[in-house]
Amino acid sequence: MLGTEFPDDAKAQMEGGIKAVFKSWNGKKAVSYRKIEGIPDDWGTAVNVQAMVFGNMGDTSATGVAFTHNPTTGDNHFYGEWLINAQGEDVVAGIRTPSPLNDETKNEQNKNFHSMEELMPETYKELCDIRRTLEQNYHDMLDIEFTIQEGVLYMLQCRVGKRTGVAALNMAFDMLNEKLIDEQEVVMRISPAQLDELLHPILDAEDEKKYDVIAKGLPAGPGGAVGVIALTSEKAKLYAEQGIKNILVREETNPEDVEGMRAADGILTARGGMTSHAALVARGWGKCCIVGCDAVKIDFEKGFVYINGNVFKEGDLLALNGTKGYVYDKEIKMINATENPLFQRFMTMVDKFRTMGVRTNADNPDDALRAVSFGAEGIGLFRIEHMFYGKNSEKPLEKLRNMILSDSTDERIAALDELEPDIREYAKATLKVLDGKPLTFRLMDPPLHEFAPQGEEKMKEVAKRLKISYEEVKKRVDALHEVNPMMGLRGVRLGIIYPEITRVQFRALFSATAELMKEGHNPKLEIMVPLTINVKELEHQKNIANEIKAEVEAKYGVNISYMFGTMIEIPRATLVADKIAEVAEFFSFGTNDLTQMTFGFSRDDVNAIVKDYVDQKIIPADPFNTLDQEGVGQLVKLGVDRGRSTRANLKCGVCGEHGGDPDSVEFFYHAGLNYVSCSPFRVPVARLAAAQAAIKESRKK
Amino acid sequence: MLGTEFPDDAKAQMEGGIKAVFKSWNGKKAVSYRKIEGIPDDWGTAVNVQAMVFGNMGDTSATGVAFTHNPTTGDNHFYGEWLINAQGEDVVAGIRTPSPLNDETKNEQNKNFHSMEELMPETYKELCDIRRTLEQNYHDMLDIEFTIQEGVLYMLQCRVGKRTGVAALNMAFDMLNEKLIDEQEVVMRISPAQLDELLHPILDAEDEKKYDVIAKGLPAGPGGAVGVIALTSEKAKLYAEQGIKNILVREETNPEDVEGMRAADGILTARGGMTSHAALVARGWGKCCIVGCDAVKIDFEKGFVYINGNVFKEGDLLALNGTKGYVYDKEIKMINATENPLFQRFMTMVDKFRTMGVRTNADNPDDALRAVSFGAEGIGLFRIEHMFYGKNSEKPLEKLRNMILSDSTDERIAALDELEPDIREYAKATLKVLDGKPLTFRLMDPPLHEFAPQGEEKMKEVAKRLKISYEEVKKRVDALHEVNPMMGLRGVRLGIIYPEITRVQFRALFSATAELMKEGHNPKLEIMVPLTINVKELEHQKNIANEIKAEVEAKYGVNISYMFGTMIEIPRATLVADKIAEVAEFFSFGTNDLTQMTFGFSRDDVNAIVKDYVDQKIIPADPFNTLDQEGVGQLVKLGVDRGRSTRANLKCGVCGEHGGDPDSVEFFYHAGLNYVSCSPFRVPVARLAAAQAAIKESRKK
């Protein structure tokens, strides 16, 4: 394969080199990178063998790396770095701070170095021609590597360039204006991860003005970050695990630092250019990053960081403006970037191609409004349990405890009657702000034992209120204990064993609806029954709904319309979905619990196991982050298909956390779901993923 | 429909009567009976309208009930009871003790009454002719009702008669001898429940001889029973729930007593004949029962039972010989009826038609041998955990605790090395007695937290042994706590996180196999991996197996052959069974856990919920007793079909408790399983159910 024109020792060397490339696939850094990027281990790598050229043959030789547009901002400028008398590695590794390719690439750090444009104008012009040819051919921004050997230009490599979300957005619209690409392609050009990056916070410019910049570096990764200094990857991971925002500060980064870079909120390096390892990786992840900040000196032995005369140590605070390359030592305010008009224009374009709905999981008016501002078309999961958490929850929680600890149906009904106005007002507030957009109310599924009073003091308090002995309270609390609460008295089971719990919720919901109607609003209530295993459970609950609805309609003199549906979150429900759809008007797949039961994985217990399984490649990814399409996905498809075999227009959605994961969203699109529902901040990502899934499908046709 | 020949008031009466019959379908007693017999509520009932005849028109009128063979023993005698000048109800209700139909029906209680044979010889002869005609037509024993109105015989009803297991067996062989039925039909004639009844205990005749009979009654239900007196159905249920053997003692039984009769180990009534309610029901269930025991007088107010001058109260002990009708007040020994040669002959016949294998779940040589004597063809589930229970378990348990509480891989390996000889010897003992029959060894799946030392004293003991502090032991025990242990660190997950646990088991098993081979035995080892979710887990464990097998083979100088398979007990495993079968040579469906995960029902927690669900008809039966064919059954079928799509000769079995339930066995037969495995005492029942399933299928063709 290598031909015969090489002497034997050169051949051996090349063979060694090729083997080294193949071997590198299983190197620690490659494995780590794939794990983070979710690239399967069995893809393998290819090796291109090409003739060698040398950039280190004197001052007429050079090497460089360039982007055909600015990869940080997207500006239409040739953007790159070069080094005279050097090999490509020297640029990429960030060991020498490289020179600018041209005027547009000059910045504070390198403005006194000579550009290629200045020193080798002929060759630079040739390179610019190649840049144009490549862009016109590929219709995209490219990342190129070149070497000049004794005055002759050789192109080494060309690939689609990594870019920030902002750059991707700007370039896509530029190319749209130039008619190089169409709107569909614009939507395809921004990855969900890049969009997520646009949603990421930046330093508040007003606040930033108040403080002095203590050092400047290259703006390698956009956005802002405020956190404490971590001097090693290990420390950054440790901080992240403890939920402490942190900035990884390094001389330069190596591939071995990849996991620490992932864990850090921001990255600051003393050396390296815009194409150094740290810069490339950070940009790929949309992570705030400043490189080549010469003012930074690190004394690892002492654990000190010197920045222009100031001394910092691990745990001290820094703030980074990754878009400008500025470093601060103050806690600067952060703001969000979603007000960008290009972002809004892009999202409008996204919705042109999107066919699947996007809702949000929200439990109060604030979250609901925020999600609507992100484009949510309603609430796919409203958990009434949230009224028992946080502010103003004390009174309702007290009443809930009375209910949980009641000893007879009469006691329970009395406690529930007390609770009804709270449920009504809580649900009504969110129904009101959604006006016209649907709200899917999940019937109460409280972890009883968690809401029960814990500890002697709390129990004594409850005992006093209920006028029973402490021992009696303790006995009742103990009786709530379950060996496997995940598969115990939960969900609809509660509503069947204690129908009064369902009754009070229907009364509260229908009353809230009736009141809003009378106040001139347009409440769109959808009630869903959790943890269903068969249609009889639904019939049981529906009978209660019918009874209470008639009662409330008579009281208020209105006709209430609502939808009655169920969560599909137990494997059995997917198997008998055809029967369940006889009563359910919609399905909402609860993929969290469905994943738990399908795997026999308790989320409370298997985190360590899942991590180990992923590390040992027993499973490709954490099934709670990305839907297990092979297993759980089969059940989702089955549920949709069987449900619609009974009720052709059955509305199907998903309200597990997978609703905000782009890969899962694409799967749900193909499974035929009508909507996904996710947390407010994931709504734009879900909209984009849904649009891209539709475009991909239309292109296949 | 009723014609016009009746006057209006009679019509109205009849209409009322017909309505009453239809209504009775939803009467409390009918509902209760259906629940026990597993008859669906939506079958409904039919009403036959026939001309009325009257048995109460003087001494030339009479009414009676008869069986064409003796329903208790199966003897070929016409067997029945009659009453002169009475209606049918009077016989069935057991209000009057009826007279014998003929000499063969005479017994201690009624021998002085006149038989129909004596008083109405002409009509009796006519009835005998009808008996012959019916039997020759139906080829079965029939239960008939007749009325004589002023000398004219009318047949009211004819149906296949309920019978004891012994009677069923005897009659079937009689009819086989008479060539009325063939061997296939003999096998179909004994229901699994009747066979189970044959397996039920009787009083030890030798022991029984030692004691005086304190009263005699009619032998209405065969077998023996020893237990304490319960005077009400409620009390019988209460005793049963507490696991206390009990005898329900009543004046007579009503349909309202059905649940108490079910709960009782034996039934004794003061009134009623062989065709009274108590007798019919008890016989149907194969329950020991004595009726018409006039010596019994009950004072419910005082709670006393007087029997021939002795005074008993609730909680006092009685013993019943239901085959003879004898009552004792001593704790008589009980023995089993399986030594009956007709039983053995029947089981041999069963196996002629059976195509599906039957194995047993057994964990020691004694149980294994007992199961083999019941016809088990091997062990389908051997749980090594049982070496940590019961006698001689102290030392192994100590070592297991050392392993569970070890803090490092080295400590764990050291503890496991200590355990290896115990595992080897324990497994070897059962492999040895099975000689040539397969033993399916499930890799260890211990509930870690259950085996951990409980309480301060035990923990201090362990601390001393491990030379660590009590606090340290407590910390390690606490670390084992899981929120949902059912879906936590169990099964193969243990063997992947701690491969040394798998390694030591393979070493023990292969060593035991090698030693037995060298000793001239024929060990047939099948190793199965529990709780599998995908094929990678199996590959991981198989690699360990290969490594250890080579090591053991080298040490002993033998070639070991064994099968490597897996339990299919997690829903996901059924969905990816095609891939799992790439490595697994057999599947064993663990329908207990599969039911838990498919329903999201924790067996530890949902007993009360399941009971309520069955009562409220949300589910038709407890899915842990009878396989949920609609839901879990789908997954079993899917698993088998997909597994065999990869490996056509994949051996499939079931080792959940459903393996001993006749309805489930029939389902497993149709799902194409190679064998079912159940507890030793259920083995004959499973054999019969499997044979009947095969016969039913062949008849359909």
Side-chain angles (χ1 to χ4, degrees), chain A residues 481-489 492-493 496-497 533-534 536-537 540 570-572 575-576 579 596-602 604-606 608-609 612-613 616-619 628 630-632 634-635 638 642, chain B residues 481-489 492-493 496-497 533-534 536-537 540 570-572 575-576 579 596-602 604-606 608-609 612-613 616-619 628 630-632 634-635 638 642:
Chain A
H481 172 77
E482 292 183 307
V483 180
N484 294 287
M486 182 59 61
M487 308 199 289
L489 183 54
V492 65
R493 297 165 197 174
I496 286 177
I497 309 285
I533 60 164
N534 70 19
K536 301 254 179 180
E537 290 175 319
H540 181 284
I570 297 280
R572 194 181 191 282
L575 300 169
V576 297
K579 296 206 177 143
Q596 292 200 92
M597 310 284 178
T598 305
F599 275 84
F601 275 178
S602 155
D604 297 312
D605 300 304
V606 298
I609 298 173
D612 216 79
Y613 264 42
Q616 292 203 45
K617 307 188 205 322
I618 304 283
I619 53 177
D628 162 46
E630 189 188 34
V632 179
Q634 279 191 51
L635 293 181
L638 194 76
R642 293 209 173 153
Chain B
H481 172 77
E482 292 183 306
V483 180
N484 294 287
M486 181 60 61
M487 309 200 287
L489 183 54
V492 65
R493 297 164 197 175
I496 285 177
I497 309 286
I533 61 164
N534 70 20
K536 302 253 179 179
E537 291 175 319
H540 181 284
I570 297 280
R572 194 181 191 282
L575 300 169
V576 297
K579 296 206 177 143
Q596 292 200 91
M597 311 284 178
T598 305
F599 276 82
F601 275 178
S602 155
D604 297 313
D605 300 304
V606 297
I609 298 172
D612 216 80
Y613 265 42
Q616 293 203 45
K617 308 188 206 319
I618 304 282
I619 53 177
D628 162 46
E630 189 188 35
V632 180
Q634 280 191 50
L635 293 180
L638 194 76
R642 293 209 174 154

Side-chain angles (χ1 to χ4, degrees), chain B residues 35-36 38 262 591-596 599 601 603 606-607 610-611 614 619-629 632 654-668 677-679 682 685:
Chain B
K35 206 169 88 183
I36 289 165
R262 181 69 163 185
T591 49
N592 296 346
D593 273 15
L594 193 58
T595 299
Q596 292 200 91
F599 276 82
F601 275 178
R603 288 192 84 172
V606 297
N607 276 340
V610 166
K611 195 180 167 305
V614 173
I619 53 177
D622 182 337
F624 295 107
N625 291 340
T626 289
L627 188 84
D628 162 46
Q629 298 181 16
V632 180
V654 64
C655 62
E657 282 171 37
H658 301 100
D661 171 66
D663 288 342
S664 307
V665 170
E666 185 172 354
F667 174 83
F668 295 134
S677 186
C678 55
S679 66
R682 298 297 291 176
V685 172

Side-chain angles (χ1 to χ4, degrees), chain A residues 35 38 599 601 610 613-614 618-628:
Chain A
K35 206 170 89 184
F599 275 84
F601 275 178
V610 167
Y613 264 42
V614 172
I618 304 283
I619 53 177
D622 182 338
F624 294 108
N625 291 340
T626 290
L627 189 84
D628 162 46

Side-chain angles (χ1 to χ4, degrees), chain A residues 435-498:
Chain A
D435 218 29
K437 291 193 174 65
L439 179 151
T440 314
F441 182 101
R442 181 184 69 179
L443 289 181
M444 221 186 264
D445 187 4
L448 292 188
H449 59 287
E450 275 181 32
F451 281 117
Q454 306 293 334
E456 197 174 321
E457 199 183 328
K458 283 270 173 218
M459 288 194 209
K460 282 189 170 158
E461 202 182 298
V462 173
K464 203 173 155 191
R465 199 167 66 231
L466 293 181
K467 299 191 179 69
I468 54 178
S469 68
Y470 160 70
E471 288 70 27
E472 179 62 24
V473 170
K474 194 166 179 315
K475 203 186 85 188
R476 294 186 191 177
V477 169
D478 288 347
L480 293 172
H481 172 77
E482 292 183 307
V483 180
N484 294 287
M486 182 59 61
M487 308 199 289
L489 183 54
R490 284 180 56 202
V492 65
R493 297 165 197 174
L494 263 179
I496 286 177
I497 309 285
Y498 305 123

Side-chain angles (χ1 to χ4, degrees), chain A residues 11-284:
Chain A
K11 253 181 78 177
Q13 261 191 338
M14 288 181 71
E15 281 180 13
I18 292 166
K19 277 183 188 164
V21 176
F22 280 127
K23 261 186 152 176
S24 75
W25 180 255
N26 287 319
K28 197 181 160 190
K29 53 193 184 187
V31 169
S32 184
Y33 184 80
R34 289 201 298 274
K35 206 170 89 184
I36 289 166
E37 295 284 346
I39 298 170
D41 289 306
D42 54 6
W43 275 11
T45 186
V47 180
N48 272 327
V49 179
Q50 55 188 129
M52 188 81 184
V53 287
F54 299 87
N56 53 358
M57 293 184 76
D59 284 354
T60 58
S61 296
T63 194
V65 175
F67 295 90
T68 57
H69 275 60
N70 182 315
T72 308
T73 63
D75 289 348
N76 189 2
H77 294 132
F78 201 14
Y79 190 90
E81 292 163 336
W82 77 315
L83 279 171
I84 288 181
N85 194 15
Q87 281 291 71
E89 268 179 18
D90 304 330
V91 183
V92 177
I95 292 165
R96 283 164 60 185
T97 299
S99 303
L101 197 66
N102 49 22
D103 280 356
E104 286 86 357
T105 316
K106 285 192 177 174
N107 58 33
E108 286 298 313
Q109 277 67 42
N110 64 16
K111 64 184 173 192
N112 297 323
F113 297 171
H114 288 295
S115 70
M116 183 178 171
E117 196 176 9
E118 291 156 7
L119 292 189
M120 298 186 177
E122 284 300 306
T123 317
Y124 178 72
K125 199 180 156 292
E126 194 185 344
L127 193 63
C128 286
D129 290 344
I130 290 171
R131 171 200 175 212
R132 242 184 321 274
T133 307
L134 287 172
E135 279 214 342
Q136 274 163 7
N137 185 51
Y138 288 108
H139 296 176
D140 206 344
M141 183 272 269
L142 301 160
D143 167 350
I144 60 181
E145 292 183 20
F146 61 90
T147 283
I148 300 151
Q149 182 177 319
E150 295 174 328
V152 182
L153 175 65
Y154 294 90
M155 300 305 298
L156 303 188
Q157 180 174 297
C158 153
R159 56 185 170 183
V160 171
K162 287 189 189 295
R163 63 200 73 181
T164 65
V166 171
L169 202 61
N170 287 332
M171 286 190 295
F173 278 104
D174 275 356
M175 293 186 185
L176 178 69
N177 291 339
E178 292 167 30
K179 298 204 165 63
L180 281 174
I181 60 176
D182 60 9
E183 288 195 344
Q184 227 183 36
E185 183 58 25
V186 170
V187 171
M188 294 306 290
R189 278 289 164 91
I190 284 81
S191 73
Q194 283 168 332
L195 187 71
D196 188 44
E197 181 196 323
L198 290 176
L199 298 167
H200 277 172
I202 55 172
L203 297 185
D204 177 349
E206 289 306 305
D207 201 39
E208 192 178 351
K209 278 186 202 159
K210 300 177 194 158
Y211 304 105
D212 291 328
V213 175
I214 62 165
K216 289 181 181 175
L218 300 178
V226 178
V228 300
I229 295 172
L231 290 178
T232 60
S233 267
E234 286 64 38
K235 192 72 184 186
K237 282 191 277 182
L238 203 65
Y239 278 136
E241 279 164 19
Q242 296 167 343
I244 298 169
K245 301 268 179 201
N246 68 91
I247 312 282
L248 179 65
V249 182
R250 303 284 287 161
E251 289 282 342
E252 66 197 39
T253 64
N254 299 309
E256 282 73 21
D257 290 321
V258 155
E259 289 186 32
M261 294 167 76
R262 182 69 163 186
D265 297 275
I267 300 159
L268 172 63
T269 73
R271 290 204 295 268
M274 287 295 283
T275 51
S276 67
H277 175 260
L280 286 173
V281 171
R283 225 158 28 237

